[in-house]
């Protein structure tokens, strides 16, 4: 919100008190104006701005307080103005444009905050970082997002299928209005790690069951193929034996015919007697 400048105020009887003036920055005009109004009222000089009075002492005190709470560069721009009202009005005109820009940025940021949802594949740390970033930007623009709002937004944005159990438990056990944002992040991270470990165990079991199933299929196929091979081998052996027997008989018949046809050449006397 900028630097705070202490201003000493003298009271009746010689005592004094210190009142802090807020320092104006490029992004805190609205808050600065509210604080300065209170400061000027405490010093009993707000009326010179409200009524555009030119009362000498009060006008000088109000102007001095305003000069205490603005940067040097701005003092050089408004230093020639002769009344506190003119100084106040000049500061307002110079920052209203910046204020409109700030409000537009803030509206965009709040829309982003409302639409933000956590993806199924997203980690708790990553999503928490997004919420924290929006919260920091909002604070820089002058609006602080309170922790209960961050906590409820976080729980609402979690994927229900994956986190429904832990969300229901936290809502029943904890007082979300008094639970810190970092506390919720820690609990959800612990749950995320446990779910991740259980998922890995289930995946390993699934792989092991698949491997065993494939092994049994392979052994069954090998057994079936072995029987077929044996049957084919027996059939081939029988066929080969039959073919060998037929070939042997044919050879013996051919040999007998050859001997019969050449018998006269082999045993001439026997042939003549037979003739």
């Amino acid at each position: 919100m900028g630097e705070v400048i202490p201003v000493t105020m003298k009271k009746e009887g010689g005592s004094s008190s210190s009142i802090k003036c807020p320092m104006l920055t490029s992004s805190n005009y609205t808050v600065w104006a509210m604080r300065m109004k209170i400061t000027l009222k405490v010093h009993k000089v707000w009326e010179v701005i409200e009524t555009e009075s030119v009362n000498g002492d009060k006008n000088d005190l109000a102007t001095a307080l305003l000069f205490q709470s603005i940067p040097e560069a701005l003092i050089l721009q408004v230093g020639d103005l002769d009344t506190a009202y003119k100084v106040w009005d000049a500061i307002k005109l110079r920052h209203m444009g910046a204020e409109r820009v700030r409000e537009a940025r803030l509206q965009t940021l709040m829309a982003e905050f409302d639409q933000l949802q956590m993806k199924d594949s997203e980690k708790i740390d990553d999503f928490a970082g997004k919420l924290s970033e929006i919260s920091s930007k909002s604070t820089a623009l002058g609006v602080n997002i309170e922790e209960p709002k961050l906590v409820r937004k976080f729980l609402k944005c979690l994927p229900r299928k994956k986190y429904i159990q832990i969300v229901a438990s936290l809502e029943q056990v904890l007082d979300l209005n008094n639970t810190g944002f970092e506390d919720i992040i820690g609990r959800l991270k612990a749950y995320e790690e446990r779910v991740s470990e259980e998922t890995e165990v289930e995946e390993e079991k699934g792989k092991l069951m698949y491997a065993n199933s494939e092994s049994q299929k392979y052994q069954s196929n090998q057994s079936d193929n072995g029987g077929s091979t044996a049957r084919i081998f027996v059939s081939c052996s029988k066929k080969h034996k039959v073919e060998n027997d037929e070939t042997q008989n044919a050879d013996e018949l051919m040999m007998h015919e050859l001997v019969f046809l050449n018998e006269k050449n082999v045993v001439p006397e026997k042939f003549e007697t037979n003739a």
Side-chain angles (χ1 to χ4, degrees), residues 169-228:
S169 298
L170 292 176
E171 289 178 343
Q172 291 178 1
V173 173
L174 300 178
D175 178 6
L176 298 183
N177 291 325
N178 296 311
T179 302
F181 185 56
E182 295 297 330
D183 183 16
I184 287 292
I185 293 176
R187 293 174 185 269
L188 290 173
K189 284 179 64 176
Y191 180 81
E192 180 184 56
E193 291 174 1
R194 191 187 335 167
V195 170
S196 178
E197 291 174 358
E198 292 178 357
T199 302
E200 290 178 0
V201 171
E202 291 298 324
E203 289 178 353
E204 290 298 325
K205 288 182 179 179
K207 291 178 181 179
L208 182 59
M209 292 177 64
Y210 177 78
N212 290 337
S213 176
E214 289 298 310
S215 176
Q216 291 175 1
K217 288 181 181 180
Y218 176 77
Q219 292 176 1
S220 178
N221 291 336
Q222 286 295 100
S223 177
D224 293 342
N225 292 336
S228 300

Short mmCIF file of all heavy atoms in Angstrom, two decimals, residues 169-228:
data_model
loop_
_atom_site.label_atom_id
_atom_site.label_comp_id
_atom_site.label_asym_id
_atom_site.label_seq_id
_atom_site.Cartn_x
_atom_site.Cartn_y
_atom_site.Cartn_z
N SER A 169 -14.75 -35.29 3.67
CA SER A 169 -14.18 -35.45 5.01
C SER A 169 -13.72 -34.10 5.58
O SER A 169 -13.99 -33.78 6.74
CB SER A 169 -12.99 -36.42 4.97
OG SER A 169 -13.40 -37.70 4.54
N LEU A 170 -13.05 -33.31 4.77
CA LEU A 170 -12.55 -32.01 5.24
C LEU A 170 -13.70 -31.07 5.59
O LEU A 170 -13.63 -30.33 6.59
CB LEU A 170 -11.67 -31.37 4.16
CG LEU A 170 -10.33 -32.06 3.89
CD1 LEU A 170 -9.61 -31.39 2.73
CD2 LEU A 170 -9.46 -32.07 5.13
N GLU A 171 -14.75 -31.10 4.79
CA GLU A 171 -15.89 -30.22 5.07
C GLU A 171 -16.61 -30.61 6.36
O GLU A 171 -17.18 -29.74 7.03
CB GLU A 171 -16.86 -30.26 3.89
CG GLU A 171 -16.33 -29.57 2.65
CD GLU A 171 -17.28 -29.66 1.47
OE1 GLU A 171 -18.20 -30.53 1.51
OE2 GLU A 171 -17.11 -28.90 0.51
N GLN A 172 -16.59 -31.89 6.70
CA GLN A 172 -17.23 -32.35 7.93
C GLN A 172 -16.36 -32.13 9.16
O GLN A 172 -16.85 -31.77 10.23
CB GLN A 172 -17.59 -33.83 7.81
CG GLN A 172 -18.69 -34.11 6.79
CD GLN A 172 -18.98 -35.60 6.66
OE1 GLN A 172 -18.37 -36.41 7.35
NE2 GLN A 172 -19.90 -35.95 5.79
N VAL A 173 -15.06 -32.32 9.01
CA VAL A 173 -14.16 -32.29 10.16
C VAL A 173 -13.67 -30.87 10.49
O VAL A 173 -13.54 -30.50 11.66
CB VAL A 173 -12.95 -33.22 9.91
CG1 VAL A 173 -11.92 -33.07 11.02
CG2 VAL A 173 -13.41 -34.66 9.79
N LEU A 174 -13.40 -30.07 9.46
CA LEU A 174 -12.77 -28.77 9.67
C LEU A 174 -13.77 -27.61 9.63
O LEU A 174 -14.81 -27.69 8.97
CB LEU A 174 -11.71 -28.53 8.59
CG LEU A 174 -10.55 -29.53 8.51
CD1 LEU A 174 -9.64 -29.16 7.35
CD2 LEU A 174 -9.77 -29.57 9.81
N ASP A 175 -13.41 -26.56 10.34
CA ASP A 175 -14.13 -25.29 10.23
C ASP A 175 -13.42 -24.49 9.14
O ASP A 175 -12.36 -23.89 9.38
CB ASP A 175 -14.10 -24.55 11.56
CG ASP A 175 -14.80 -23.20 11.47
OD1 ASP A 175 -15.42 -22.91 10.42
OD2 ASP A 175 -14.74 -22.44 12.45
N LEU A 176 -13.99 -24.48 7.95
CA LEU A 176 -13.31 -23.88 6.80
C LEU A 176 -13.10 -22.38 6.95
O LEU A 176 -12.22 -21.81 6.31
CB LEU A 176 -14.10 -24.17 5.52
CG LEU A 176 -14.25 -25.65 5.16
CD1 LEU A 176 -14.99 -25.80 3.83
CD2 LEU A 176 -12.90 -26.36 5.09
N ASN A 177 -13.88 -21.74 7.81
CA ASN A 177 -13.70 -20.31 8.04
C ASN A 177 -12.44 -20.01 8.85
O ASN A 177 -11.95 -18.88 8.86
CB ASN A 177 -14.92 -19.73 8.76
CG ASN A 177 -16.15 -19.70 7.89
OD1 ASN A 177 -16.05 -19.49 6.68
ND2 ASN A 177 -17.30 -19.93 8.48
N ASN A 178 -11.94 -21.01 9.55
CA ASN A 178 -10.74 -20.84 10.38
C ASN A 178 -9.60 -21.77 9.96
O ASN A 178 -8.69 -22.03 10.74
CB ASN A 178 -11.09 -21.08 11.85
CG ASN A 178 -12.07 -20.06 12.38
OD1 ASN A 178 -11.89 -18.86 12.19
ND2 ASN A 178 -13.13 -20.52 13.02
N THR A 179 -9.66 -22.28 8.74
CA THR A 179 -8.62 -23.18 8.23
C THR A 179 -7.76 -22.44 7.22
O THR A 179 -8.27 -21.82 6.28
CB THR A 179 -9.24 -24.42 7.56
OG1 THR A 179 -10.07 -25.09 8.50
CG2 THR A 179 -8.16 -25.37 7.07
N GLY A 180 -6.44 -22.50 7.44
CA GLY A 180 -5.52 -21.80 6.55
C GLY A 180 -5.40 -22.46 5.18
O GLY A 180 -5.59 -23.67 5.03
N PHE A 181 -5.07 -21.64 4.20
CA PHE A 181 -4.90 -22.14 2.82
C PHE A 181 -3.76 -23.16 2.74
O PHE A 181 -3.89 -24.20 2.09
CB PHE A 181 -4.63 -20.95 1.90
CG PHE A 181 -4.57 -21.31 0.44
CD1 PHE A 181 -5.63 -21.96 -0.18
CD2 PHE A 181 -3.45 -20.99 -0.31
CE1 PHE A 181 -5.57 -22.29 -1.52
CE2 PHE A 181 -3.38 -21.30 -1.66
CZ PHE A 181 -4.44 -21.95 -2.27
N GLU A 182 -2.65 -22.87 3.41
CA GLU A 182 -1.51 -23.78 3.40
C GLU A 182 -1.84 -25.11 4.08
O GLU A 182 -1.36 -26.17 3.68
CB GLU A 182 -0.30 -23.14 4.08
CG GLU A 182 0.25 -21.92 3.35
CD GLU A 182 0.77 -22.27 1.97
OE1 GLU A 182 1.23 -23.41 1.78
OE2 GLU A 182 0.72 -21.40 1.09
N ASP A 183 -2.68 -25.07 5.11
CA ASP A 183 -3.10 -26.28 5.80
C ASP A 183 -3.88 -27.19 4.85
O ASP A 183 -3.66 -28.40 4.79
CB ASP A 183 -3.96 -25.92 7.01
CG ASP A 183 -4.38 -27.14 7.82
OD1 ASP A 183 -3.77 -28.20 7.65
OD2 ASP A 183 -5.31 -27.02 8.64
N ILE A 184 -4.80 -26.62 4.09
CA ILE A 184 -5.58 -27.40 3.12
C ILE A 184 -4.68 -27.99 2.04
O ILE A 184 -4.84 -29.16 1.65
CB ILE A 184 -6.66 -26.50 2.47
CG1 ILE A 184 -7.77 -26.22 3.49
CG2 ILE A 184 -7.25 -27.15 1.24
CD1 ILE A 184 -8.59 -27.44 3.86
N ILE A 185 -3.72 -27.22 1.58
CA ILE A 185 -2.79 -27.72 0.56
C ILE A 185 -2.03 -28.93 1.08
O ILE A 185 -1.88 -29.94 0.39
CB ILE A 185 -1.80 -26.61 0.14
CG1 ILE A 185 -2.54 -25.50 -0.59
CG2 ILE A 185 -0.70 -27.19 -0.76
CD1 ILE A 185 -1.66 -24.32 -0.94
N GLY A 186 -1.54 -28.85 2.33
CA GLY A 186 -0.80 -29.97 2.92
C GLY A 186 -1.64 -31.23 3.03
O GLY A 186 -1.17 -32.34 2.71
N ARG A 187 -2.89 -31.10 3.45
CA ARG A 187 -3.77 -32.27 3.58
C ARG A 187 -4.06 -32.89 2.22
O ARG A 187 -4.07 -34.12 2.06
CB ARG A 187 -5.08 -31.85 4.26
CG ARG A 187 -4.91 -31.43 5.72
CD ARG A 187 -6.22 -30.88 6.28
NE ARG A 187 -6.07 -30.36 7.63
CZ ARG A 187 -6.26 -31.08 8.73
NH1 ARG A 187 -6.60 -32.35 8.64
NH2 ARG A 187 -6.10 -30.53 9.93
N LEU A 188 -4.30 -32.06 1.23
CA LEU A 188 -4.61 -32.57 -0.11
C LEU A 188 -3.39 -33.22 -0.76
O LEU A 188 -3.52 -34.21 -1.49
CB LEU A 188 -5.14 -31.43 -0.99
CG LEU A 188 -6.52 -30.90 -0.61
CD1 LEU A 188 -6.87 -29.66 -1.43
CD2 LEU A 188 -7.58 -31.98 -0.82
N LYS A 189 -2.21 -32.68 -0.50
CA LYS A 189 -0.99 -33.29 -1.04
C LYS A 189 -0.76 -34.67 -0.45
O LYS A 189 -0.37 -35.61 -1.15
CB LYS A 189 0.21 -32.39 -0.76
CG LYS A 189 0.29 -31.17 -1.67
CD LYS A 189 1.49 -30.31 -1.33
CE LYS A 189 2.79 -31.05 -1.57
NZ LYS A 189 3.97 -30.19 -1.32
N ALA A 190 -1.01 -34.82 0.86
CA ALA A 190 -0.87 -36.13 1.50
C ALA A 190 -1.84 -37.14 0.90
O ALA A 190 -1.48 -38.29 0.64
CB ALA A 190 -1.10 -35.99 3.01
N TYR A 191 -3.07 -36.70 0.66
CA TYR A 191 -4.07 -37.58 0.05
C TYR A 191 -3.67 -37.94 -1.39
O TYR A 191 -3.80 -39.09 -1.82
CB TYR A 191 -5.42 -36.89 0.06
CG TYR A 191 -6.53 -37.71 -0.55
CD1 TYR A 191 -7.18 -38.71 0.16
CD2 TYR A 191 -6.94 -37.47 -1.86
CE1 TYR A 191 -8.20 -39.46 -0.40
CE2 TYR A 191 -7.96 -38.22 -2.44
CZ TYR A 191 -8.58 -39.20 -1.71
OH TYR A 191 -9.58 -39.95 -2.28
N GLU A 192 -3.16 -36.97 -2.12
CA GLU A 192 -2.73 -37.19 -3.50
C GLU A 192 -1.62 -38.23 -3.57
O GLU A 192 -1.63 -39.11 -4.45
CB GLU A 192 -2.25 -35.87 -4.10
CG GLU A 192 -1.76 -35.96 -5.54
CD GLU A 192 -1.22 -34.63 -6.02
OE1 GLU A 192 -0.29 -34.09 -5.35
OE2 GLU A 192 -1.70 -34.12 -7.03
N GLU A 193 -0.66 -38.15 -2.67
CA GLU A 193 0.45 -39.11 -2.66
C GLU A 193 -0.04 -40.51 -2.34
O GLU A 193 0.41 -41.50 -2.93
CB GLU A 193 1.50 -38.67 -1.63
CG GLU A 193 2.24 -37.39 -2.03
CD GLU A 193 3.16 -36.90 -0.93
OE1 GLU A 193 3.21 -37.58 0.12
OE2 GLU A 193 3.82 -35.86 -1.12
N ARG A 194 -1.00 -40.63 -1.40
CA ARG A 194 -1.53 -41.95 -1.05
C ARG A 194 -2.28 -42.56 -2.23
O ARG A 194 -2.11 -43.74 -2.55
CB ARG A 194 -2.46 -41.82 0.15
CG ARG A 194 -2.83 -43.19 0.75
CD ARG A 194 -3.88 -43.09 1.81
NE ARG A 194 -3.95 -41.81 2.48
CZ ARG A 194 -4.95 -41.45 3.25
NH1 ARG A 194 -5.97 -42.25 3.44
NH2 ARG A 194 -4.95 -40.27 3.83
N VAL A 195 -3.10 -41.77 -2.90
CA VAL A 195 -3.84 -42.26 -4.06
C VAL A 195 -2.88 -42.67 -5.17
O VAL A 195 -3.07 -43.68 -5.85
CB VAL A 195 -4.81 -41.17 -4.57
CG1 VAL A 195 -5.40 -41.56 -5.92
CG2 VAL A 195 -5.92 -40.94 -3.56
N SER A 196 -1.82 -41.90 -5.35
CA SER A 196 -0.82 -42.22 -6.38
C SER A 196 -0.15 -43.55 -6.09
O SER A 196 0.07 -44.37 -6.99
CB SER A 196 0.22 -41.10 -6.45
OG SER A 196 1.21 -41.40 -7.40
N GLU A 197 0.20 -43.80 -4.82
CA GLU A 197 0.84 -45.07 -4.45
C GLU A 197 -0.11 -46.24 -4.69
O GLU A 197 0.31 -47.29 -5.22
CB GLU A 197 1.25 -45.02 -2.98
CG GLU A 197 2.40 -44.06 -2.69
CD GLU A 197 2.68 -43.93 -1.21
OE1 GLU A 197 1.94 -44.58 -0.42
OE2 GLU A 197 3.62 -43.21 -0.83
N GLU A 198 -1.37 -46.10 -4.32
CA GLU A 198 -2.33 -47.18 -4.52
C GLU A 198 -2.55 -47.45 -6.01
O GLU A 198 -2.69 -48.59 -6.44
CB GLU A 198 -3.67 -46.81 -3.86
CG GLU A 198 -3.60 -46.79 -2.34
CD GLU A 198 -4.92 -46.37 -1.72
OE1 GLU A 198 -5.84 -46.05 -2.49
OE2 GLU A 198 -5.01 -46.38 -0.47
N THR A 199 -2.55 -46.40 -6.81
CA THR A 199 -2.71 -46.55 -8.26
C THR A 199 -1.54 -47.32 -8.86
O THR A 199 -1.72 -48.20 -9.71
CB THR A 199 -2.82 -45.18 -8.93
OG1 THR A 199 -3.94 -44.48 -8.37
CG2 THR A 199 -3.03 -45.32 -10.43
N GLU A 200 -0.32 -47.02 -8.39
CA GLU A 200 0.85 -47.73 -8.88
C GLU A 200 0.80 -49.20 -8.52
O GLU A 200 1.16 -50.07 -9.33
CB GLU A 200 2.12 -47.09 -8.30
CG GLU A 200 2.41 -45.70 -8.85
CD GLU A 200 3.64 -45.09 -8.21
OE1 GLU A 200 4.24 -45.76 -7.34
OE2 GLU A 200 4.01 -43.96 -8.58
N VAL A 201 0.35 -49.53 -7.31
CA VAL A 201 0.23 -50.93 -6.90
C VAL A 201 -0.78 -51.66 -7.77
O VAL A 201 -0.54 -52.78 -8.22
CB VAL A 201 -0.18 -51.02 -5.41
CG1 VAL A 201 -0.52 -52.46 -5.04
CG2 VAL A 201 0.95 -50.50 -4.52
N GLU A 202 -1.92 -51.03 -8.04
CA GLU A 202 -2.94 -51.66 -8.87
C GLU A 202 -2.43 -51.87 -10.30
O GLU A 202 -2.71 -52.89 -10.93
CB GLU A 202 -4.20 -50.78 -8.90
CG GLU A 202 -4.95 -50.72 -7.58
CD GLU A 202 -5.46 -52.09 -7.17
OE1 GLU A 202 -5.85 -52.88 -8.04
OE2 GLU A 202 -5.43 -52.39 -5.96
N GLU A 203 -1.66 -50.92 -10.80
CA GLU A 203 -1.10 -51.06 -12.15
C GLU A 203 -0.12 -52.22 -12.21
O GLU A 203 -0.10 -52.98 -13.18
CB GLU A 203 -0.42 -49.76 -12.57
CG GLU A 203 -1.40 -48.64 -12.86
CD GLU A 203 -0.69 -47.36 -13.23
OE1 GLU A 203 0.56 -47.32 -13.13
OE2 GLU A 203 -1.38 -46.39 -13.62
N GLU A 204 0.70 -52.37 -11.17
CA GLU A 204 1.65 -53.48 -11.13
C GLU A 204 0.93 -54.82 -11.08
O GLU A 204 1.31 -55.78 -11.73
CB GLU A 204 2.59 -53.34 -9.92
CG GLU A 204 3.58 -52.19 -10.03
CD GLU A 204 4.52 -52.37 -11.21
OE1 GLU A 204 4.89 -53.54 -11.50
OE2 GLU A 204 4.87 -51.38 -11.85
N LYS A 205 -0.15 -54.89 -10.29
CA LYS A 205 -0.93 -56.12 -10.23
C LYS A 205 -1.54 -56.44 -11.59
O LYS A 205 -1.54 -57.59 -12.03
CB LYS A 205 -2.05 -55.98 -9.19
CG LYS A 205 -1.56 -56.00 -7.74
CD LYS A 205 -2.75 -55.89 -6.79
CE LYS A 205 -2.28 -55.94 -5.33
NZ LYS A 205 -3.43 -55.80 -4.39
N GLY A 206 -2.04 -55.42 -12.26
CA GLY A 206 -2.63 -55.63 -13.57
C GLY A 206 -1.62 -56.14 -14.58
O GLY A 206 -1.90 -57.05 -15.36
N LYS A 207 -0.40 -55.58 -14.54
CA LYS A 207 0.65 -56.04 -15.45
C LYS A 207 1.03 -57.49 -15.16
O LYS A 207 1.25 -58.28 -16.08
CB LYS A 207 1.88 -55.13 -15.31
CG LYS A 207 1.68 -53.72 -15.83
CD LYS A 207 2.93 -52.88 -15.61
CE LYS A 207 2.72 -51.45 -16.11
NZ LYS A 207 3.93 -50.61 -15.88
N LEU A 208 1.11 -57.84 -13.87
CA LEU A 208 1.48 -59.20 -13.49
C LEU A 208 0.41 -60.20 -13.94
O LEU A 208 0.73 -61.26 -14.47
CB LEU A 208 1.66 -59.28 -11.97
CG LEU A 208 2.11 -60.63 -11.41
CD1 LEU A 208 3.44 -61.05 -12.02
CD2 LEU A 208 2.22 -60.58 -9.90
N MET A 209 -0.86 -59.85 -13.75
CA MET A 209 -1.94 -60.73 -14.18
C MET A 209 -1.95 -60.90 -15.70
O MET A 209 -2.17 -61.99 -16.22
CB MET A 209 -3.29 -60.16 -13.71
CG MET A 209 -3.47 -60.20 -12.20
SD MET A 209 -5.03 -59.42 -11.68
CE MET A 209 -6.21 -60.54 -12.46
N TYR A 210 -1.66 -59.85 -16.40
CA TYR A 210 -1.62 -59.92 -17.86
C TYR A 210 -0.48 -60.81 -18.33
O TYR A 210 -0.63 -61.62 -19.24
CB TYR A 210 -1.45 -58.51 -18.44
CG TYR A 210 -1.32 -58.48 -19.94
CD1 TYR A 210 -2.44 -58.63 -20.77
CD2 TYR A 210 -0.07 -58.30 -20.54
CE1 TYR A 210 -2.31 -58.59 -22.14
CE2 TYR A 210 0.06 -58.27 -21.91
CZ TYR A 210 -1.07 -58.42 -22.71
OH TYR A 210 -0.95 -58.40 -24.08
N ALA A 211 0.68 -60.66 -17.67
CA ALA A 211 1.84 -61.49 -18.03
C ALA A 211 1.55 -62.96 -17.78
O ALA A 211 1.89 -63.83 -18.60
CB ALA A 211 3.06 -61.04 -17.24
N ASN A 212 0.92 -63.28 -16.63
CA ASN A 212 0.58 -64.67 -16.33
C ASN A 212 -0.40 -65.23 -17.34
O ASN A 212 -0.30 -66.38 -17.78
CB ASN A 212 -0.01 -64.77 -14.93
CG ASN A 212 1.02 -64.51 -13.85
OD1 ASN A 212 2.22 -64.67 -14.09
ND2 ASN A 212 0.58 -64.11 -12.67
N SER A 213 -1.38 -64.43 -17.74
CA SER A 213 -2.37 -64.87 -18.72
C SER A 213 -1.73 -65.17 -20.06
O SER A 213 -2.02 -66.18 -20.70
CB SER A 213 -3.44 -63.78 -18.87
OG SER A 213 -4.36 -64.13 -19.88
N GLU A 214 -0.82 -64.29 -20.48
CA GLU A 214 -0.13 -64.51 -21.75
C GLU A 214 0.74 -65.75 -21.70
O GLU A 214 0.85 -66.50 -22.66
CB GLU A 214 0.72 -63.27 -22.09
CG GLU A 214 -0.09 -62.05 -22.47
CD GLU A 214 -0.91 -62.29 -23.72
OE1 GLU A 214 -0.34 -62.76 -24.72
OE2 GLU A 214 -2.13 -62.04 -23.68
N SER A 215 1.37 -65.98 -20.54
CA SER A 215 2.23 -67.16 -20.39
C SER A 215 1.41 -68.44 -20.50
O SER A 215 1.81 -69.41 -21.15
CB SER A 215 2.95 -67.11 -19.04
OG SER A 215 3.70 -68.27 -18.82
N GLN A 216 0.23 -68.46 -19.87
CA GLN A 216 -0.64 -69.64 -19.94
C GLN A 216 -1.13 -69.88 -21.36
O GLN A 216 -1.19 -71.02 -21.82
CB GLN A 216 -1.83 -69.45 -18.99
CG GLN A 216 -1.45 -69.49 -17.52
CD GLN A 216 -2.63 -69.18 -16.61
OE1 GLN A 216 -3.73 -68.95 -17.10
NE2 GLN A 216 -2.38 -69.17 -15.31
N LYS A 217 -1.47 -68.81 -22.07
CA LYS A 217 -1.89 -68.96 -23.47
C LYS A 217 -0.76 -69.55 -24.31
O LYS A 217 -0.98 -70.41 -25.16
CB LYS A 217 -2.30 -67.59 -24.03
CG LYS A 217 -3.61 -67.08 -23.49
CD LYS A 217 -3.94 -65.73 -24.12
CE LYS A 217 -5.25 -65.19 -23.58
NZ LYS A 217 -5.57 -63.86 -24.19
N TYR A 218 0.46 -69.10 -24.07
CA TYR A 218 1.59 -69.58 -24.85
C TYR A 218 1.84 -71.06 -24.59
O TYR A 218 2.06 -71.84 -25.52
CB TYR A 218 2.83 -68.76 -24.46
CG TYR A 218 4.10 -69.23 -25.15
CD1 TYR A 218 4.34 -68.93 -26.48
CD2 TYR A 218 5.04 -70.00 -24.45
CE1 TYR A 218 5.50 -69.37 -27.11
CE2 TYR A 218 6.19 -70.44 -25.07
CZ TYR A 218 6.42 -70.13 -26.41
OH TYR A 218 7.56 -70.57 -27.03
N GLN A 219 1.78 -71.45 -23.31
CA GLN A 219 1.99 -72.86 -22.97
C GLN A 219 0.91 -73.74 -23.58
O GLN A 219 1.17 -74.84 -24.07
CB GLN A 219 2.02 -73.03 -21.46
CG GLN A 219 3.23 -72.38 -20.79
CD GLN A 219 3.18 -72.47 -19.28
OE1 GLN A 219 2.24 -73.04 -18.73
NE2 GLN A 219 4.19 -71.93 -18.62
N SER A 220 -0.33 -73.26 -23.57
CA SER A 220 -1.44 -74.01 -24.16
C SER A 220 -1.25 -74.18 -25.65
O SER A 220 -1.44 -75.26 -26.21
CB SER A 220 -2.75 -73.29 -23.87
OG SER A 220 -3.84 -73.96 -24.47
N ASN A 221 -0.81 -73.13 -26.32
CA ASN A 221 -0.57 -73.20 -27.76
C ASN A 221 0.57 -74.16 -28.08
O ASN A 221 0.51 -74.91 -29.06
CB ASN A 221 -0.25 -71.81 -28.30
CG ASN A 221 -1.45 -70.89 -28.28
OD1 ASN A 221 -2.58 -71.36 -28.28
ND2 ASN A 221 -1.21 -69.58 -28.26
N GLN A 222 1.60 -74.12 -27.24
CA GLN A 222 2.73 -75.01 -27.47
C GLN A 222 2.30 -76.47 -27.32
O GLN A 222 2.73 -77.35 -28.07
CB GLN A 222 3.86 -74.70 -26.47
CG GLN A 222 4.61 -73.41 -26.79
CD GLN A 222 5.35 -73.51 -28.10
OE1 GLN A 222 4.89 -73.02 -29.12
NE2 GLN A 222 6.50 -74.17 -28.10
N SER A 223 1.46 -76.77 -26.33
CA SER A 223 0.98 -78.13 -26.10
C SER A 223 0.16 -78.61 -27.28
O SER A 223 0.32 -79.72 -27.77
CB SER A 223 0.14 -78.17 -24.82
OG SER A 223 -0.39 -79.46 -24.61
N ASP A 224 -0.73 -77.76 -27.79
CA ASP A 224 -1.55 -78.11 -28.95
C ASP A 224 -0.69 -78.34 -30.18
O ASP A 224 -0.87 -79.30 -30.93
CB ASP A 224 -2.56 -77.00 -29.23
CG ASP A 224 -3.58 -76.89 -28.11
OD1 ASP A 224 -3.71 -77.86 -27.33
OD2 ASP A 224 -4.24 -75.83 -28.02
N ASN A 225 0.28 -77.51 -30.41
CA ASN A 225 1.16 -77.65 -31.56
C ASN A 225 2.00 -78.91 -31.47
O ASN A 225 2.28 -79.58 -32.46
CB ASN A 225 2.08 -76.42 -31.69
CG ASN A 225 1.30 -75.18 -32.05
OD1 ASN A 225 0.21 -75.27 -32.62
ND2 ASN A 225 1.83 -74.01 -31.72
N GLY A 226 2.40 -79.30 -30.26
CA GLY A 226 3.20 -80.52 -30.07
C GLY A 226 2.41 -81.75 -30.45
O GLY A 226 2.90 -82.68 -31.10
N GLY A 227 1.12 -81.82 -30.08
CA GLY A 227 0.27 -82.97 -30.42
C GLY A 227 0.07 -83.07 -31.91
O GLY A 227 0.12 -84.16 -32.50
N SER A 228 -0.14 -81.94 -32.54
CA SER A 228 -0.32 -81.95 -33.99
C SER A 228 0.92 -82.43 -34.69
O SER A 228 0.87 -83.22 -35.66
CB SER A 228 -0.68 -80.54 -34.47
OG SER A 228 -1.87 -80.10 -33.86
#
